[in-house]
Amino acid sequence: RGNIIQGDGIYKTTDGGKTWTHAGLERTMSIGRIRVHPTNPDVVYVAALGDPYGPNPERGVLKTTDGGKTWTRSLFRNDKTGAVDLAMDPKNPDVLYAGLWEVFRTPHSLSSGGPGSGLFKTTNGGATWVELSRNAGLPKPIWGKIGITVSGADPNRLYALIEAADGGVFLSDDAGATWKIVNDDRRLRQRAFYYTRVYADPQVKDSVYMLNTGLYRSTDAGKTIRSIRVPHGDNHDLWIAASDPRRMINGNDGGANVSVTAGESWTGQAYPTAQMYNVFATNHVPYHVLDAQ
């Protein structure tokens, strides 16, 4: 089904969200991640998936050093492969990891995966990139969607969630040089195009979160997982406070929920932020409006 709505680029606020201005990248259409340099807000990286319905060159990893006035293409594979995830080393903002995804849709089909998919790393702020996809321990191609995260406790510890025939959660303790699979549970891999998100705890090396229909946490480096009760299914994003890992925001199909107890309890969903697929008007006068959440 058509669960993608194309956008028209990047927007920027300098007053805490009161007003916004357009900052370019109109033709990227679908954007997977935005990463802002922690000490220089004019330096921004964008993981652009591109046009989901056809080839276009406005995809890959793009970078600005002037707050969005101009953009340069930092990482590009081809016009059928976009960037879907982007992780910045919390201790060195010049080190980033990017997941590329070859994917396309039609109104009646989805193709996830292809030779363009892969995992990349830069150590110089995107000036050059090295592909990690063939490094020891990673699954054989073809890959689909990729999630990547860096531990705030140890930047050599990486977790990758990879869609592949023998995919799953992969761990590296040498900054991506070598890997090993730690979990291939289908609960973490189902409907990979729709989920495939992984988040390292900012302070505890062996703690990591994986998102799918449910929200899962591992405290033993991904070997075992425990489901965390959330107010709504279909979990798509997670923010964890670097200063307090018990404080987090989970983005799901019902909206966004805040926890200050590491997911043991959450705020409610009485806010107009839910995902809506369609909106209809009735023939009443005045008419009624209905939506499918």
Side-chain angles (χ1 to χ4, degrees):
R1 60 179 181 262
N3 61 350
I4 291 178
I5 297 176
Q6 292 73 251
D8 65 345
I10 292 288
Y11 286 79
K12 174 183 176 180
T13 179
T14 57
D15 54 14
K18 293 179 181 178
T19 61
W20 293 81
T21 56
H22 193 262
L25 303 187
E26 293 90 343
R27 296 180 61 82
T28 53
M29 300 183 73
S30 303
I31 289 174
R33 288 291 189 214
I34 304 170
R35 299 299 184 197
V36 183
H37 193 286
T39 60
N40 183 358
D42 284 336
V43 176
V44 182
Y45 301 86
V46 167
L49 191 61
D51 185 352
Y53 293 100
N56 75 323
E58 293 84 8
R59 57 177 73 213
V61 177
L62 300 112
K63 179 181 180 180
T64 180
T65 57
D66 54 14
K69 295 178 183 176
T70 60
W71 294 86
T72 58
R73 198 163 65 181
S74 176
L75 174 63
F76 178 77
R77 174 86 93 178
N78 56 52
D79 62 4
K80 297 188 296 181
T81 303
V84 69
D85 207 358
L86 190 61
M88 181 180 286
D89 185 333
K91 291 181 169 44
N92 184 353
D94 284 336
V95 177
L96 297 97
Y97 299 85
L100 299 190
W101 185 22
E102 183 173 328
V103 60
F104 74 88
R105 305 199 69 145
T106 69
H108 57 275
S109 70
L110 165 73
S111 174
S112 177
S117 298
L119 183 61
F120 287 77
K121 176 182 180 179
T122 179
T123 58
N124 52 19
T128 58
W129 294 80
V130 175
E131 185 166 6
L132 309 180
S133 312
R134 304 297 182 265
N135 287 13
L138 288 173
K140 297 177 181 179
I142 296 175
W143 290 14
K145 193 176 182 181
I146 301 162
I148 179 68
T149 187
V150 187
S151 171
D154 179 359
N156 288 315
R157 167 65 62 86
L158 310 178
Y159 296 95
L161 185 53
I162 301 173
E163 178 190 7
D166 52 352
V169 180
F170 293 80
L171 178 150
S172 174
D173 272 323
D174 50 18
T178 60
W179 298 78
K180 63 180 179 181
I181 189 167
V182 292
N183 201 308
D184 63 355
D185 194 313
R186 291 302 305 182
R187 289 177 293 173
L188 307 177
R189 303 167 56 197
Q190 62 179 324
R191 295 189 74 206
F193 79 94
Y194 200 54
Y195 305 106
T196 313
R197 293 301 199 192
V198 59
Y199 304 82
D201 186 291
Q203 294 185 8
V204 181
K205 180 178 178 179
D206 287 341
S207 289
V208 60
Y209 295 81
M210 286 76 67
L211 275 61
N212 203 282
T213 54
L215 173 62
Y216 301 92
R217 175 169 56 220
S218 174
T219 56
D220 57 6
K223 295 176 184 176
T224 62
I225 58 174
R226 181 174 72 88
S227 176
I228 298 174
R229 184 183 295 273
V230 290
H232 202 287
D234 287 0
N235 298 269
H236 295 291
D237 209 351
L238 184 69
W239 173 85
I240 309 172
S243 60
D244 179 10
R246 292 172 59 82
R247 186 162 59 94
M248 56 181 61
I249 305 172
N250 171 230
N252 53 60
D253 275 16
N257 304 104
V258 178
S259 176
V260 294
T261 58
E264 297 303 317
S265 60
W266 299 89
T267 56
Q269 293 198 317
Y271 313 101
T273 56
Q275 178 179 8
M276 294 184 290
Y277 278 94
N278 294 284
V279 176
F280 302 94
T282 70
N283 292 327
H284 295 87
V285 179
Y287 58 84
H288 301 171
V289 177
L290 304 92
D291 73 82
Q293 178 180 316

